[in-house]
Amino acid sequence: ILIEDVEPGPDGLPRWMIKSKSPVRLPDGRRGIVGALTDVSRLKQQEEEAARSREFLREILDSVPQPMFVKDPQHRFVIVNRQFAQEVGRPAEALLGRSDDVFAPPDWVRTAHETDDAALAAMDTLESEIDMRGYDGSDRIMQRVKRGVRLS
């Protein structure tokens, strides 16, 4: 049996423990239990700090009025801001882990992937002004700015 539990520590702060119990056969043949406790409080604190950092980053990105996104080398969205999701008419959750093909026509996808690859190869900022059909089908002139970054 494996149980994760939180209880107050000696200092009154929450103490996260993983408790494990397993049946054993004692030397005299009787059944017994062996138990172990592992304090995972530091790990839980780090997870909570990481969650707060992700939420802070989300708030910053969502405050930017321009559509923004981060993609992995396979052209899948890792992060999208609120404006980008609104622009393409999809909830952010429906875009994460997916490529441009969930909302854009093939010619748009091809051009987006080519410029993604160029930015990633250059590891520098690439800017271009393009005449394209927008996500919603309207004609647009867009300034596209992409920069290659390393995701760890």
Side-chain angles (χ1 to χ4, degrees), residues 43-55:
L43 176 63
K44 285 294 185 180
Q45 290 168 347
Q46 291 169 342
E47 288 174 351
E48 289 172 359
E49 287 173 21
R52 283 192 298 273
S53 292
R54 283 190 301 274
E55 183 58 31

Side-chain angles (χ1 to χ4, degrees), residues 87 103 105 108 132-140:
E87 188 79 22
F103 61 82
W108 176 280
M132 280 191 99
R133 187 157 310 276
Y135 308 115
D136 62 0
S138 63
D139 290 328
R140 296 184 180 191

Side-chain angles (χ1 to χ4, degrees), residues 77 84 88-90 95 99-105 108-109 135:
F77 292 102
F84 184 81
V88 301
R90 301 281 193 284
L95 298 170
S99 180
D100 304 82
D101 58 2
V102 298
F103 61 82
W108 176 280
V109 174
Y135 308 115

Side-chain angles (χ1 to χ4, degrees), residues 93-127:
E93 300 78 30
L95 298 170
L96 300 178
R98 307 284 304 276
S99 180
D100 304 82
D101 58 2
V102 298
F103 61 82
D107 60 331
W108 176 280
V109 174
R110 185 181 63 256
T111 302
H113 289 189
E114 287 170 359
T115 57
D116 293 348
D117 292 340
L120 194 56
M123 292 304 288
D124 200 359
T125 302
L126 301 179
E127 296 185 43

Side-chain angles (χ1 to χ4, degrees), residues 6 13 21-22 33 41 45 65 71 86-88 97 103 105 107 116 120 123 142 146:
V6 62
L13 296 174
K21 295 181 181 181
S22 299
I33 295 174
S41 299
Q45 290 168 347
K71 291 182 186 175
Q86 289 173 352
E87 188 79 22
V88 301
F103 61 82
D107 60 331
D116 293 348
L120 194 56
M123 292 304 288
M142 299 180 72
K146 292 187 177 183

Side-chain angles (χ1 to χ4, degrees), residues 6-17 39 41:
V6 62
E7 52 193 45
D11 55 4
L13 296 174
R15 187 170 162 192
W16 287 91
M17 304 294 287
D39 188 339
S41 299

